[in-house]
């Protein structure tokens, strides 16, 4: 099969291509094409990717191209991981809301809306070319943030798409480490929306060990997500670290006003990573990559593609249409839940109802995502303002109008370049 990676200038691409070889028993990739519009990044990242594949005995063809059509032609799987506007746009997403007294984050709240407005049109253009050029049954796997909104836009346009985030696999690895067992024995039952999820069960050999996990490792988990241990005990569930923006909103805003923006930190890490990647003796991902954010997303991506191709029926946490899996949400809402992966797609596993304190927040943000996706597709400023008014981290009309004017001042997607990387 042919796999195309769009936005392959991401510093996480070497991890992704390494995973292809690990899954060679289920994923017979004969052609891998890495695409990016930044030729320098593509050359550097592609060079390390080639050395990793050679070291691991990859026998297929590896291609590097700046031509989108060449990458998509006859592709059986299209992995999209782009960042429209680069880290400069991310910096605006983080700092403009913070200056207005709101959480400044590139996927959540006002910053997430700005990212959606410039990103969704570009992803849809790529998907349309894939519809014309890729294999008839090709799957689009989207890692491009904000994943929930981008996936909704792709599905609304009729594309064969599944969204994917690294949060679930990251928790799986952390919890498995705490329990002292291999990750494949641990299944996290994570539910909600993208970047708005809770773990309500941890399955080990068919038994829910969440009470033991919270009881034995609650303090450590609380430190990892930056929230009080008492909150975990109160909820009886483990919130995603993205829930800190909601459960500790004022604390986060204060921190953001006093510390270096994450966008600047990531930009510095990326510069150092690309310098390391230029070393011709480097044949594996460097330890510095763990500080980049988005840990294990590449591993999750390869596992998902392998499950789709092999029709395995594996259960993986992905972003899909709700279809009744979570009561209280519309069937066409895009949720992040465990789903059984078959060749025909991801079938969400029906979930017990969310507790009221979880459902209320999920419904609030689901309404925002519906409006945000519509605004991004249409380029509708009024709809974008209504989306911000629906978001629990904004709400106020004047605040929404002020931030929107500043965030969208330079957000014509066709005037911006994009480079690889979802985080």
């Amino acid at each position: 099969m042919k796999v195309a990676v769009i936005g392959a200038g991401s510093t996480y691409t070497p991890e992704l291509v390494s995973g292809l070889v690990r899954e060679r028993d289920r994923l017979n990739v004969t052609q891998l094409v890495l695409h990016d519009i930044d030729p320098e990044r593509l050359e550097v990242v592609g060079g390390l990717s080639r050395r990793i594949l050679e070291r691991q005995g990859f026998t297929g063809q590896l291609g590097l191209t700046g031509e989108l059509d060449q990458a998509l032609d006859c592709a059986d799987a299209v992995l999209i991981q782009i960042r429209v506007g680069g880290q400069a746009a991310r910096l605006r997403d983080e700092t403009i809301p913070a200056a207005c007294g709101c959480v400044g984050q590139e996927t959540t709240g006002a910053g997430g809306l700005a990212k959606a407005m410039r990103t969704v049109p570009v992803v849809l253009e790529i998907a349309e070319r894939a519809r014309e050029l890729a294999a008839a049954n090709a799957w689009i796997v989207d890692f491009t943030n904000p994943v929930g909104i981008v996936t909704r836009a792709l599905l609304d346009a009729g594309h064969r798409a599944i969204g994917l985030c690294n949060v679930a696999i990251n928790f799986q690895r952390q919890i498995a480490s705490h329990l002292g067992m291999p990750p494949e024995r641990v299944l996290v039952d994570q539910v909600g929306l993208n970047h708005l999820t809770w773990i309500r069960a941890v399955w080990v050999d068919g038994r829910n060990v969440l009470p033991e996990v919270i009881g034995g490792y609650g303090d450590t988990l609380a430190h990892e997500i930056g929230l009080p241990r008492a909150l975990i005990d109160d909820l009886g569930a483990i919130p995603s670290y993205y829930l800190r923006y909601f459960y500790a909103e004022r604390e986060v805003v204060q921190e953001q006003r006093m510390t270096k923006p994450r966008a600047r930190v990531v930009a510095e890490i990326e510069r150092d990573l690309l310098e390391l990647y230029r070393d011709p003796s480097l044949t594996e991902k460097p330890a510095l990559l763990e500080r980049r954010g988005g840990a294990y997303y590449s591993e999750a991506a390869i596992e998902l593609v392998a499950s789709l191709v092999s029709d395995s029926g594996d259960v993986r946490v992905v972003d899909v249409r709700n279809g009744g899996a979570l009561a209280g949400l519309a069937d066409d809402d895009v949720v992040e839940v465990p789903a059984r992966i078959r060749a025909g797609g991801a079938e969400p596993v029906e979930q017990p109802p969310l507790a009221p304190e979880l459902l209320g927040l999920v419904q609030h943000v689901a309404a925002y995502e519906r409006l945000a996706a519509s605004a991004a597709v249409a380029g509708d400023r009024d709809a974008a303002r209504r989306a911000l008014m629906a978001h629990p981290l904004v709400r106020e009309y004047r605040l929404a109008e002020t931030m929107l004017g500043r965030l969208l001042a330079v957000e014509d997607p066709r005037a911006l370049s994009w480079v690889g990387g979802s985080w």
Side-chain angles (χ1 to χ4, degrees):
M1 65 177 296
K2 175 181 177 179
V3 174
V5 182
I6 310 303
S10 166
T11 50
Y12 265 103
T13 297
E15 179 182 81
L16 187 147
V17 299
S18 180
L20 289 174
V21 180
R22 289 196 303 272
E23 290 284 350
R24 72 178 83 195
D25 291 340
R26 294 197 300 160
L27 196 60
N28 182 26
V29 176
T30 55
Q31 188 177 6
L32 172 64
V33 179
L34 306 182
H35 169 272
D36 205 284
I37 64 171
D38 185 326
E40 181 180 2
R41 286 184 70 119
L42 182 61
E43 180 182 3
V44 172
V45 175
L48 175 57
S49 299
R50 187 182 302 279
R51 296 192 298 273
I52 289 174
L53 291 175
E54 289 175 351
R55 179 190 179 197
Q56 295 183 343
F58 178 66
T59 58
Q61 297 179 343
L62 173 65
L64 310 180
T65 182
E67 298 296 327
L68 181 63
D69 287 3
Q70 181 180 339
L72 295 175
D73 186 44
C74 296
D76 300 287
V78 179
L79 282 54
I80 303 180
Q81 52 177 39
I82 66 172
R83 176 181 293 282
V84 180
Q87 294 296 335
R90 175 178 181 167
L91 183 62
R92 293 195 300 274
D93 295 343
E94 293 177 352
T95 55
I96 291 174
C100 295
C102 292
V103 168
Q105 212 280 328
E106 62 157 346
T107 65
T108 301
L113 176 70
K115 185 172 176 62
M117 293 294 286
R118 66 175 176 269
T119 301
V120 166
V122 178
V123 171
L124 289 179
E125 287 183 4
I126 294 169
E128 284 301 321
R129 292 304 291 163
R131 188 175 353 228
E132 296 173 11
L133 298 171
N137 294 320
W139 279 100
I140 292 174
V141 178
D142 176 69
F143 325 131
T144 299
N145 278 320
V147 167
I149 296 171
V150 173
T151 301
R152 173 185 273 276
L154 285 166
L155 294 174
D156 286 349
H159 296 290
R160 285 166 57 89
I162 299 176
L164 186 64
C165 182
N166 74 305
V167 171
I169 192 171
N170 194 37
F171 268 124
Q172 179 203 36
R173 297 304 193 263
Q174 288 176 314
I175 292 172
S177 176
H178 294 324
L179 296 175
M181 60 181 59
E184 55 268 20
R185 288 186 59 194
V186 178
L187 175 65
V188 295
D189 199 351
Q190 176 177 293
V191 299
L193 308 176
N194 178 242
H195 290 184
L196 194 82
T197 52
W198 298 261
I199 294 174
R200 299 191 298 172
V202 175
W203 300 98
V204 174
D205 301 333
R207 187 172 69 89
N208 181 14
V209 300
L210 180 62
E212 293 97 309
V213 170
I214 293 177
Y217 307 100
D219 290 340
T220 302
L221 289 166
H223 175 73
E224 290 169 349
I225 63 176
L227 288 167
R229 162 67 186 272
L231 173 62
I232 297 176
D233 293 333
D234 189 29
L235 296 175
I238 305 171
S240 156
Y241 35 87
Y242 285 95
L243 264 298
R244 187 167 186 266
Y245 299 121
F246 297 85
Y247 291 144
E249 178 184 356
R250 291 172 180 79
E251 183 181 340
V252 168
V253 172
Q254 183 65 21
E255 289 174 358
Q256 290 181 335
R257 287 177 163 180
M258 300 176 65
T259 59
K260 180 187 293 187
R262 176 65 180 166
R264 294 195 190 279
V265 174
V266 169
E268 292 169 2
I269 293 173
E270 283 204 330
R271 283 195 295 270
D272 292 342
L273 281 170
L274 291 171
E275 191 60 35
L276 289 173
Y277 289 4
R278 289 184 173 89
D279 181 355
S281 66
L282 184 66
T283 59
E284 60 184 4
K285 64 177 184 179
L288 179 62
L289 187 57
E290 296 178 4
R291 293 177 49 204
R292 171 66 177 80
Y296 305 117
Y297 100 87
S298 300
E299 189 171 333
I302 297 304
E303 290 178 354
L304 173 58
V305 174
S307 295
L308 286 167
V309 170
S310 64
D311 192 30
S312 66
D314 295 342
V315 175
R316 303 196 181 280
V317 176
V318 293
D319 291 83
V320 292
R321 293 284 197 203
N322 180 37
L326 275 179
L329 295 179
D331 285 349
D332 68 339
D333 282 333
V334 170
V335 295
E336 189 166 292
V337 296
R340 197 165 298 280
I341 312 300
R342 297 287 188 188
E347 182 66 29
V349 177
E350 186 175 355
Q351 297 292 316
L354 291 167
E357 61 271 21
L358 310 187
L359 179 60
L361 184 53
V362 167
Q363 288 175 323
H364 208 159
V365 177
Y368 152 77
E369 290 195 347
R370 180 181 295 274
L371 289 165
S374 176
V377 170
D380 187 333
R381 192 181 190 282
D382 291 338
R385 184 179 59 252
R386 289 193 294 272
L388 285 184
M389 291 168 60
H391 200 289
L393 296 180
V394 181
R395 303 180 311 281
E396 300 177 23
Y397 176 84
R398 293 187 186 280
L399 188 58
E401 180 66 17
T402 298
M403 285 193 292
L404 195 62
R406 297 178 185 178
L407 285 165
L408 300 188
V410 291
E411 295 299 11
D412 177 359
R414 289 166 181 80
L416 293 166
S417 62
W418 54 267
V419 296
S422 296
W423 287 275

